[in-house]
Amino acid sequence: MDIIVLSDRAWADEVAARWADRLAVNVDLRMCCPTGQTPVPLYTAMATLCDLGIADFGAATIVLLDEYLGLEPGASGRCDEMLRRHLVDRLRPAPAAVRTIGVGSLGPTDPDLEVEAAAIEAELVARPLDLALLGVGGNGHVGMNEPGSAPDSPTRIVELAASTRLAAASYGAEPVPTHGVTIGLRALLAAAEVWILATGSTKADVVAAIVDGPTTVEMPASLFRDHTNCTLFVDTAAWARRPPT
Ligand code: PGA
């Protein structure tokens, strides 16, 4: 795992510039994108690069990383709505395709959702992601692959950890979801390139665990240490608890 430590002021612009470079080299880049707080400044920086003509998603595909279940279509706390507000609606030109999941879902027992998750998994096996952008939860989850998720776990319906439910509530997810659907670790670990994003002092402990702790399913983000092309982009606050070398 490569590690790039940036000042909090430079973090978003630097990651956005590298993302624009990937799009320039691979115009039909197919990437998954997370929601939550961490990527918001990155998405703002990326929208600016699009406005300046430096980045172009016109041939690219964005795949939503995960989604809460039990929220009405259009609810502002849904992941697809957050992604739309913070990124997709701000990109000019618009991305060639945006793949979401579970828009009409009735909840975790909806059989149609299982079919949809299996279809996305099959697509990701047939054509792995070029780039997986991932946030990391305070408990080490990536997407909604909570601690205990197997490295070969598929795209699937999952029960959310208590801390993930709290985070969902803080994003305005109403009713607070108990379950979600997430791209699984298998497809994320199969991506050609992975970027893990972590900023702020609240991520300092989990970053130290990812970098210095054991590689374990109890800390799903740590599994990416074995990925051949994974970069952890942190700011200085998120890097603060790392023991000096
Ligand atoms: P955050 O969430 O960016 O809001 O901290 C990250 C995550 O849970 O993946």
Side-chain angles (χ1 to χ4, degrees):
M1 181 185 273
D2 292 332
I3 299 165
I4 296 182
V5 185
L6 298 159
S7 71
D8 59 345
R9 280 191 325 180
W11 185 88
D13 288 343
E14 180 64 31
V15 181
R18 288 164 186 260
W19 191 1
D21 286 346
R22 294 297 185 277
L23 283 160
V25 170
N26 187 358
V27 293
D28 63 351
L29 197 75
R30 193 155 155 273
M31 74 217 87
C32 72
C33 290
T35 52
Q37 285 301 317
T38 308
V40 172
L42 169 61
Y43 292 165
T44 299
M46 189 41 112
T48 301
L49 292 185
C50 285
D51 288 344
L52 294 171
I54 294 169
D56 187 338
F57 283 74
T61 297
I62 292 176
V63 182
L64 178 62
L65 175 61
D66 50 20
E67 184 59 272
Y68 300 125
L69 298 181
L71 279 69
E72 293 289 326
S76 66
R78 287 181 59 97
C79 298
D80 54 8
E81 284 295 315
M82 289 192 274
L83 187 72
R84 184 183 62 69
R85 280 198 306 277
H86 292 136
L87 182 68
V88 175
D89 278 2
R90 303 162 80 188
L91 301 178
R92 306 274 184 279
V98 179
R99 184 80 155 95
T100 59
I101 184 169
V103 177
S105 154
L106 303 172
T109 57
D110 181 352
D112 290 345
L113 184 59
E114 277 184 35
V115 173
E116 197 183 352
I120 290 184
E121 181 68 15
E123 283 171 29
L124 294 173
V125 168
R127 184 180 165 197
L129 294 163
D130 299 309
L131 177 62
L133 295 184
L134 303 173
V136 58
N139 66 355
H141 75 199
V142 289
M144 292 172 187
N145 294 282
E146 302 286 16
S149 298
D152 63 351
S153 52
T155 301
R156 68 201 185 287
I157 297 163
V158 290
E159 187 172 355
L160 302 179
S163 57
T164 308
R165 295 179 199 186
L166 278 176
S170 77
Y171 309 145
E174 173 60 39
V176 177
T178 58
H179 290 75
V181 58
T182 186
I183 295 179
L185 288 174
R186 176 167 59 195
L188 298 176
L189 286 161
E193 184 167 12
V194 177
W195 292 358
I196 299 178
L197 313 172
T199 55
S201 57
T202 59
K203 295 294 168 68
D205 285 336
V206 74
V207 164
I210 294 166
V211 174
D212 298 309
T215 302
T216 167
V217 296
E218 295 312 321
M219 181 60 59
S222 71
L223 301 175
F224 290 84
R225 291 221 308 258
D226 294 334
H227 192 282
T228 53
N229 190 4
C230 176
T231 304
L232 173 65
F233 288 96
V234 288
D235 68 0
T236 44
W239 193 241
R241 298 253 163 78
R242 179 109 208 295
T245 48

